[in-house]
Amino acid sequence: MPVHCRARLRTAGALGALLLTLPIDAAVVGVALLRRRPAAAAPSGRTVLVTGGKMTKALSLARAFHLAGHRVVLAESAKYRYTGHRFSRAVDSFHCIPEPTEPGYARALLELVEHERVDVFVPVASPAASIHDAAAMTLLDEQCEVIHGNAEVVGMLDDKSAFSAAATGLGLSVPHWARITDAEQIASFDFRAGREYILKRIAYNPVGRMDLTRLSAQTPEKNLAFARTLSISDSDPWILQEFISGQEYCTHGTVRSGALQVYGCCESSAFQVNYAMVDKPDILAWVQTFVGALGVTGQLSFDFIEAADGQVYAIECNPRTHSAITMFYNHPGLAGAYLETADDVLVPKPEAKPTYWIYHELWGLVTRSSRRDRLRVITGGTDAIYAQWDPLPYLLVHHLQVPSLLLKNLRSGREWTRIDFNIGKLVETGGD
């Protein structure tokens, strides 16, 4: 069967499955809409622009600012104009803007800031957008406060090898690494005895990032053959990074002038859609040391690995909002921690339930053997999109936003790897 026909059948199946669950979701949301909504705080007069409107983390921040009494402007590219989040009670105004990679992106942001009289811009950036949001600061700084790093800092953090070098310079632990710009460099690399390594593309790689092919001193022919299959070049560099076996962790940090304001830490995995706060003092100390030395303002998300001996290593930094921000769904101090400098670091409330995305959990119930674990997650946690006082985003993400993307792919026959309800898109090779 041709690839495009197979892709269309898969897409049609996904659309059919969502259609089957529509009556149930509509009933749940309908009941919620009949209930009284909680009153938001009195308007404070501040207008906050949040981009990345297709993603749950943007909705989480919009709700936090709204409940604190701020006016929220949500923005997203035209491709995702049917995001369910635009219908949130927390959103006062929604706008489509160009893709971050388009030449007119910064100018469009400026016009939006001026039109809506924005006081604070909080980018909820995709990997492709972080550097463009940083570049736009030169236009926006005189118009509003921007909770983001400058282009030099963001560029360094987004580059896995430059980040590793910066951390090493501060005496902070990272895996052994080397920057690779030619596949032939693998042949001359001094692999440490008994250690394994993986190759990771420095540019965003939504599909290939799952490839953890191990390389070592014992497999020189395999190492070089594998490297030659990749797009390694001066213009597309990769990092050869020691693979350390252990427990993975991810963190979210909101930082103002080097002071950590908001912090969350969770156990992690290659495709993470469950978030529960864990206390790891060594990771917190690592983050505070790094951001303090950097003196940056923005949102910085780190990935760590804890080895068997308890040593923690930072694998990479993503200078943007982490989906772990969903853990703050019931914290009234989140908006204030973004907008004002505080003495204490804000962490999720002790009673906060772990967050998940129900359609990912339902898929796990169908396809995995660990059904008891999935049921435990559902009964012990809370859906990251659903809020009783603000239920429409839940209905419309699953039955407008994602179906609109599937219908587009159904017409084109384009393949997709998975549906990611968290970031509100279809994961595709070469996608955003």
Side-chain angles (χ1 to χ4, degrees):
M1 180 184 295
V3 171
H4 67 278
C5 291
R6 190 165 59 246
R8 285 193 173 100
L9 283 174
R10 184 168 181 244
T11 302
L15 282 165
L18 290 174
L19 189 61
L20 285 174
T21 60
L22 174 58
I24 299 171
D25 287 341
V28 170
V29 169
V31 171
L33 287 171
L34 295 174
R35 295 179 178 177
R36 182 178 297 177
R37 59 180 290 194
S44 69
R46 302 189 83 177
T47 296
V48 182
L49 169 61
V50 178
T51 51
K54 67 179 178 293
M55 297 183 275
T56 310
K57 47 194 171 183
L59 176 66
S60 296
L61 287 175
R63 285 170 169 168
F65 290 125
H66 167 77
L67 291 174
H70 302 287
R71 179 173 177 269
V72 177
V73 178
L74 187 67
E76 184 49 273
S77 66
K79 178 180 178 180
Y80 300 101
R81 62 188 177 278
Y82 296 122
T83 170
H85 304 153
R86 67 183 292 178
F87 302 98
S88 168
R89 284 171 165 165
V91 174
D92 296 281
S93 181
F94 175 80
H95 294 265
C96 286
I97 55 176
E99 293 283 355
T101 52
E102 294 180 15
Y105 177 70
R107 178 58 58 179
L109 279 178
L110 177 61
E111 291 174 357
L112 179 54
V113 164
E114 292 174 338
H115 174 73
E116 292 285 357
R117 298 183 179 180
V118 169
D119 300 298
V120 184
F121 172 34
V122 181
V124 178
S126 66
S130 295
I131 193 65
H132 299 286
D133 287 327
M137 287 179 66
T138 57
L139 289 178
L140 301 179
D141 267 341
E142 294 184 2
Q143 303 296 324
C144 65
E145 182 182 7
V146 182
I147 311 299
H148 198 56
N150 62 38
E152 181 181 0
V153 168
V154 169
M156 179 272 289
L157 296 174
D158 245 346
D159 185 315
K160 297 175 181 66
S161 62
F163 162 70
S164 296
T168 301
L170 294 171
L172 296 169
S173 53
V174 295
H176 185 222
W177 62 279
R179 186 181 182 89
I180 305 296
T181 57
D182 187 323
E184 305 307 311
Q185 290 175 289
I186 298 296
S188 59
F189 178 75
D190 184 18
F191 287 89
R192 291 180 174 178
R195 307 289 180 87
E196 293 183 311
Y197 291 75
I198 56 175
L199 274 166
K200 296 162 67 176
R201 191 183 183 198
I202 288 176
Y204 180 55
N205 192 6
V207 177
R209 70 189 182 94
M210 302 292 188
D211 190 335
L212 299 179
T213 299
R214 313 289 175 78
L215 312 178
S216 70
Q218 286 71 45
T219 58
E221 294 84 4
K222 171 190 169 185
N223 300 345
L224 186 56
F226 177 70
R228 285 172 173 167
T229 67
L230 306 175
S231 60
I232 302 173
S233 67
D234 285 329
S235 59
D236 190 4
W238 291 55
I239 183 173
L240 182 65
Q241 188 178 67
E242 181 183 351
F243 178 84
I244 298 173
S245 181
Q247 176 60 55
E248 295 177 57
Y249 294 93
C250 57
T251 70
H252 169 87
T254 304
V255 187
R256 293 180 65 89
S257 301
L260 188 63
Q261 301 283 110
V262 179
Y263 173 76
C265 179
C266 311
E267 291 187 359
S268 184
S269 63
F271 177 53
Q272 185 68 21
V273 285
N274 301 103
Y275 297 101
M277 181 67 181
V278 295
D279 181 26
K280 303 299 295 185
D282 289 348
I283 292 178
L284 173 59
W286 198 109
V287 172
Q288 287 183 306
T289 300
F290 186 84
V291 301
L294 208 59
V296 69
T297 291
Q299 300 173 89
L300 278 67
S301 303
F302 296 87
D303 290 335
F304 286 88
I305 190 81
E306 182 181 45
D309 62 1
Q311 176 67 51
V312 297
Y313 300 86
I315 301 171
E316 63 185 54
C317 175
N318 299 304
R320 46 193 168 268
T321 325
H322 199 287
S323 296
I325 199 70
T326 58
M327 296 189 298
F328 294 84
Y329 68 92
N330 63 343
H331 205 307
L334 181 60
Y338 266 79
L339 303 179
E340 307 291 342
T341 302
D343 295 329
D344 299 322
V345 179
L346 192 82
V347 297
K349 299 185 78 170
E351 64 269 25
K353 294 181 179 181
T355 54
Y356 62 79
W357 284 258
I358 187 62
Y359 276 73
H360 289 303
E361 299 308 319
L362 292 175
W363 180 246
L365 281 172
V366 172
T367 61
R368 300 179 193 172
S369 58
S370 55
R371 292 185 177 88
R372 188 171 297 176
D373 291 340
R374 303 272 54 81
L375 287 171
R376 190 179 299 117
V377 167
I378 294 170
T379 56
T382 185
D383 185 89
I385 302 176
Y386 181 79
Q388 190 177 93
W389 66 272
D390 184 30
L392 277 179
Y394 173 83
L395 178 67
L396 297 174
V397 164
H398 299 116
H399 302 291
L400 174 63
Q401 178 176 341
V402 170
S404 71
L405 299 173
L406 288 168
L407 283 169
K408 184 177 179 179
N409 276 50
L410 186 64
R411 289 191 294 269
S412 67
R414 183 169 177 174
E415 287 190 294
W416 47 273
T417 305
R418 66 176 182 272
I419 302 172
D420 193 327
F421 293 98
N422 172 14
I423 55 178
K425 71 176 189 179
L426 308 182
V427 178
E428 304 166 308
T429 302
D432 56 354

